[in-house]
Amino acid sequence: MIKLTNIRGKVDRIIDIYNGDRGQIVSILQDIQEEYLYLPRKALEYISERLNIPLSQLYSVATFYRAMRLKPRGRYLIRVCLGTACHIRGGPLILERIERELGIKAGDTSSDMKFTVETVNCVGACALGPIVICNDELRSHMTTVKALSLIKKLKKD
C-alpha cells in the first residue's frame, strides 16, 4: 500500500520540474507513471489538490491515453502479439500457455506483482512471428515450449 506521505515528496518534485504548470499535466502524469509504473489514486488526488484540477479531469486524461495505467503492472510485462501473422502461427496457443502457467489472464497482474500479461494487435515484425515481448525485449519465432521456458526462467529470477 502506498502512503500519501511517501507520494507527496515525489509528486512535488515532479510537479516542480514543470513549475506547477497545469498545461503540462500529461508530462506530469507520464513522469509519475514512470516513478510508480502506474498512476496511483493517491498521487492523482494529491495532484488534483495541489494544482487545483478536478480529479475527474485527471482521470479523463489518464484514460484517454492508452499508455497511461491506473492499475499496477508486474516487474515482468509479457506481451503476446495476436496480429494476423502471429495468430496464424500460434499466438493464441502461446498466450493460453502463458496464462495457464502464471494463473492469470491477459490484462491481469499476478498477486506477487511479478508478472503482467497483455496482448497486442501487431508489433510490425510479422516475418518473425509469433512474437512475445518481455520488458521491451522482442522474442521471435516463439513456441509454447519456448514460452514455458521463458516463464520458468523469470520465475526463478
Side-chain angles (χ1 to χ4, degrees):
M1 185 88 176
I2 298 172
K3 294 182 180 176
L4 185 56
T5 55
N6 297 342
I7 284 182
R8 284 183 186 247
K10 290 179 181 180
V11 172
D12 279 334
R13 265 194 327 275
I14 291 168
I15 290 172
D16 290 345
I17 290 169
Y18 299 96
N19 298 316
D21 182 357
R22 296 172 50 165
Q24 296 294 320
I25 195 60
V26 172
S27 297
I28 291 168
L29 293 176
Q30 286 174 323
D31 287 359
I32 289 169
Q33 180 169 284
E34 189 173 319
E35 178 72 32
Y36 293 101
L37 304 178
Y38 78 112
L39 296 170
R41 179 176 176 86
K42 290 184 181 211
L44 294 174
E45 289 170 349
Y46 182 63
I47 294 166
S48 172
E49 175 189 317
R50 167 116 189 253
L51 297 181
N52 196 28
I53 299 173
L55 188 57
S56 61
Q57 186 177 342
L58 293 176
Y59 273 101
S60 291
V61 172
T63 57
F64 178 79
Y65 293 101
R66 191 167 195 268
M68 292 190 185
R69 298 175 299 279
L70 296 172
K71 291 180 7 180
R73 278 195 177 162
R75 186 169 75 184
Y76 296 108
L77 173 59
I78 300 171
R79 294 181 181 144
V80 180
C81 181
L82 295 180
T84 303
C86 290
H87 188 278
I88 290 170
R89 294 181 181 137
L93 294 174
I94 293 164
L95 174 63
E96 181 182 311
R97 184 65 180 128
I98 291 170
E99 289 174 331
R100 194 174 22 186
E101 184 63 25
L102 295 176
I104 59 174
K105 293 290 187 185
D108 292 338
T109 298
S110 61
S111 58
D112 63 1
M113 298 303 293
K114 197 166 184 179
F115 297 96
T116 297
V117 176
E118 295 181 349
T119 60
V120 293
N121 291 328
C122 185
V123 297
C126 300
L128 301 175
I131 300 286
V132 170
I133 302 168
C134 181
N135 287 1
D136 297 325
E137 183 180 325
L138 189 136
R139 294 164 187 266
S140 62
H141 306 292
M142 186 57 69
T143 64
T144 55
V145 172
K146 287 180 182 178
L148 181 59
S149 176
L150 170 65
I151 298 302
K152 285 183 177 182
K153 178 184 170 201
L154 295 175
K155 279 184 173 180
K156 288 179 185 177
D157 185 27

